[in-house]
């Protein structure tokens, strides 16, 4: 099994536990890895046999816009479930990062891994 990835996807959403955070749009950085058989796409050179990165990105954007979120963990869990359900992959890893002030600007986030990796060497 191969791994395809999207790194640095920017997802605009309302996210945070404080009332002021629910009134503004913030940007999450989403990095995605998912299991796929890249050999099929390589042999056919046809997008129908590949993971369509644009569709994955659009789905993650739509999820961000679907509702306000309190926790990065909740968005990450729902995003992982959507990818597993909708993109014919047995395994996904998502890293979701948000800029915060603690008290100075820093990044916080979560990495979730769901499904089963089906590699002989995994």
């Amino acid at each position: 099994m191969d791994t395809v990835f999207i790194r640095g996807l920017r997802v605009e959403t309302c996210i945070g536990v404080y009332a002021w955070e629910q009134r503004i749009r913030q940007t999450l950085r989403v990095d995605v890895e998912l299991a796929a058989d890249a050999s099929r796409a390589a042999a056919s050179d046809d997008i129908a046999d590949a993971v369509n990165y644009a569709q994955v990105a659009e789905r993650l954007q739509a999820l961000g816009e679907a509702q306000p979120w309190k926790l990065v963990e909740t968005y990450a869990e729902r995003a992982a479930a959507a990818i597993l359900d909708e993109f014919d992959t047995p395994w996904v890893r998502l890293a979701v990062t948000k800029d915060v002030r603690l008290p100075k600007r820093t990044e916080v986030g979560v990495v979730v891994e769901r499904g089963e990796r089906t590699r002989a060497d995994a």
Side-chain angles (χ1 to χ4, degrees), residues 39-107:
S39 66
R40 272 190 352 209
S44 69
D45 200 27
D46 187 338
I47 188 67
D49 293 326
V51 173
N52 187 317
Y53 306 107
Q55 289 178 351
V56 174
E58 288 169 6
R59 181 63 178 104
L60 295 174
Q61 293 280 359
L63 188 64
E65 295 171 3
Q67 67 183 64
W69 304 90
K70 289 185 180 176
L71 301 177
V72 172
E73 292 86 345
T74 307
Y75 173 83
E77 186 68 31
R78 302 273 171 77
I83 290 171
L84 287 173
D85 291 345
E86 299 170 25
F87 292 97
D88 192 31
T89 183
W91 172 86
V92 64
R93 176 186 295 136
L94 269 96
V96 181
T97 306
K98 175 184 167 185
D99 287 338
V100 297
R101 296 193 185 276
L102 291 176
K104 294 186 178 186
R105 184 186 169 280
T106 191
E107 296 176 336

Side-chain angles (χ1 to χ4, degrees), residues 12-16 21-26 64 67-69:
E12 298 290 324
T13 190
C14 291
I15 190 162
E21 290 180 294
Q22 292 294 312
R23 292 190 302 267
I24 65 169
R25 309 241 344 129
Q26 297 185 69
Q67 67 183 64
W69 304 90

